[in-house]
Amino acid sequence: MFDPPIDLSDLPGYQAAASTRPARVAFLGRCSTKDNQDPRSSLAGQLAEASTLLAPGETFTACFWDVESGMLGLDERSQGSADDYARLGVAVPRDGGLRELLEWAERGELDRVVCERISRVARDMLPSLQVEYHLASRGVRLECANEPRGGMTTGQLELRRTAQVRAEIYRHELLEQSMRGQRQHTADGYRHGPACYGYVAVVDPDAPPAANRFGGGRPKMRLALHPDARRADTVREVFRLRRVERLSDGEIAGVLAANLDRHPLAEGQVPWAARRVRKMLFQPKYTGFQVFNRCAARTNRSRMNPIAEWIWSRQQAHPVVVPLEHWHQTQLVTAQLRQRQAPGWDRVREAAAQRGIELTTVRQSDTHILYEAAGRRLVLPRGDLPAAVADEVIAALEAGA
């Protein structure tokens, strides 16, 4: 109905010139971690579904797939080594993962990318859209085997965006269910993560059998004291040195390193260092309680969650190495020591602001400044304020307030 009024088919450019080069089509696949899915069957099934979009005589130029969570951001994808993937024994050839696919598209080496469904690209909507945009902006079409062919673009787009929303909702549902299970796991006192120094993990013979849809599940484990009693004694000594003698992390590490016969190292670990001491002093499991959600595991393992967000077992679940009261006192001492490491003037100004006290300069010389605060006059040196002097000033502000 939109044809020209006369036959123009004899004109040059009437039809787009057909390309003589075969289309370069790539397969994109992903399955979750090898503990949750069998990559061999999952990826082979995805490849079979994606192959239905190939034209007669067409083959995949390259195959890109990962065995990892779809909840990862783009900068965290495709981290496994070639040796790791070779050990999986997946029959589908692998030219790389999602990261390599984007690099191929950047170099103009692909025309189409085919996957089973959009959730195989990513579970979160943002990275899924980023991949889609990256490919489209380079003239590469992303196709999904579970989407209908033909029709209007708006209908296809609505289906894809709906699938992306559904994938992200499913992702959050999985996280909620997982967190619920982890909370209950902790409340019952079962172990989370590797055993900390001074403990070993043992199977709980009284725990109900764990099973999943593949058959046998992981046994539930608890913490028990390490057979070498020196390790528990080392933990107690570390807490005593901080709580009673108020030693710094480095000073405590020096004490331990000076007597390795009394304070043995864990298997395969480097000599005692301030960082290891700091982690030990902050470990609440030494109180006999099981604790979960101390760090942001999925986003940044080095970022600690507020203590108010920690999940504790209902009762003590394993032998106590450090009484809960001593652990609490140790955290207070640690906070005081860290506070004293801050610049003296920052501490004084913060203490004054917390008490609504204004520091007013009365007069000054080349070496000292006379301040007035809360009805008192304080003569303080110019420049950096030593920690001991800052302690005295803060005590005077507290007395004046």
Side-chain angles (χ1 to χ4, degrees), residues 177-189:
Q177 293 175 350
S178 173
M179 180 59 75
R180 182 188 63 194
Q182 298 285 15
R183 286 196 298 264
Q184 188 62 43
H185 187 81
T186 303
D188 293 338

Side-chain angles (χ1 to χ4, degrees), residues 308-378:
E309 297 179 9
W310 293 2
I311 298 169
W312 297 68
S313 58
R314 297 189 184 96
Q315 55 191 4
Q316 289 177 324
H318 48 261
V320 178
V321 176
V322 178
L324 183 58
E325 296 77 12
H326 289 180
W327 184 86
H328 179 232
Q329 293 168 11
T330 301
Q331 308 315 307
L332 294 176
V333 173
T334 298
Q336 293 169 0
L337 292 177
R338 289 181 178 174
Q339 186 182 38
R340 293 195 77 222
Q341 293 174 357
W345 273 113
D346 290 350
R347 294 174 52 210
V348 168
R349 292 189 182 97
E350 181 179 357
Q354 289 176 349
R355 294 162 180 80
I357 298 174
E358 183 178 356
L359 289 172
T360 304
T361 302
V362 178
R363 59 177 179 272
Q364 53 187 307
S365 66
D366 293 339
T367 58
H368 290 76
I369 302 177
L370 175 63
Y371 292 95
E372 184 173 328
R376 293 180 172 223
R377 291 200 167 190
L378 307 171

